[in-house]
Amino acid sequence: MNTLLWVALGAVAMMLAGWGWQRRQRNIGIVDALWALGVGSSAVVLAAGGTGALPARLALALFGGLWGLRLAWHLWRRVRGEAEDGRYAHLRAHWQGHQGWILGFFMAQALLVVLFALPFVAVAGQTEAGPGRLALAAAVWLLAVGGESLADRQLARFRADPARRGQVCRVGLWRYSRHPNYFFEWLHWFTYVVLAAGAPLGWLAWSGPLVMYVFLRWLSGVPYTEQQALRTRGEAYREYQRTTSMLFPWPPRRSAATESSS
């Protein structure tokens, strides 16, 4: 738990620095990149300070660290190269630019870094780390991070095409889910459920996929993203909602227009 305290202090310091950067650049989006970097770093820190079997802790540092680094870099490139995300611009307008509210938002993200580090605490105390467990965890991680990376690249290519500006992305994985990146992000947390199975605090690893699903489904993920999409794409996005699964990939339904013309 002393190591978790260091994680918390580091997260607060990182978010304070991010808040200062946001004041100068007027871009709250940096908070997402810092959250990913903070959670990924916590996996490395907790693995180093853990008491469990070395293979489990090495897997934790590798899987958690690489996941966080990839996601943080992807988000940073968006923040650095684009205007403030519409979701955060709307939030800034709602708060009338009050820096106290924005600072509170950054500090809440620091608390979330600690919350999402709890599955890593469970893995860091794992005393059993057979090759079968490690192989299964690696397979889950590769599927999840590979799928999320693919979804991110498909969306980035779509958004970079001037001819598609203002349109709804339905290419690749986005044909089967409105949020495939969120789906694979959620799936990623089962990596640590596998690694922590049977550990003294193994039950704690379930907080990862459970809490992530709650946030994505009802709090900060899907609701904010879709509200912004409806503001900017209107009826085209409503049609996308009617025909495409929200989170879990599934073949798209036929649109009402297609059914009426058939």
Side-chain angles (χ1 to χ4, degrees), residues 225-236:
T225 302
E226 299 219 330
Q227 287 168 16
Q228 177 62 19
L230 289 170
R231 282 192 292 267
T232 57
R233 294 172 177 83
E235 186 56 37

Side-chain angles (χ1 to χ4, degrees), residues 1 4 46 60 117-126 201 204:
M1 289 301 174
L4 194 60
L46 289 165
L60 170 61
L118 295 180
F120 305 152
V121 173
V123 179
Q126 173 64 280
L201 294 175
L204 200 56

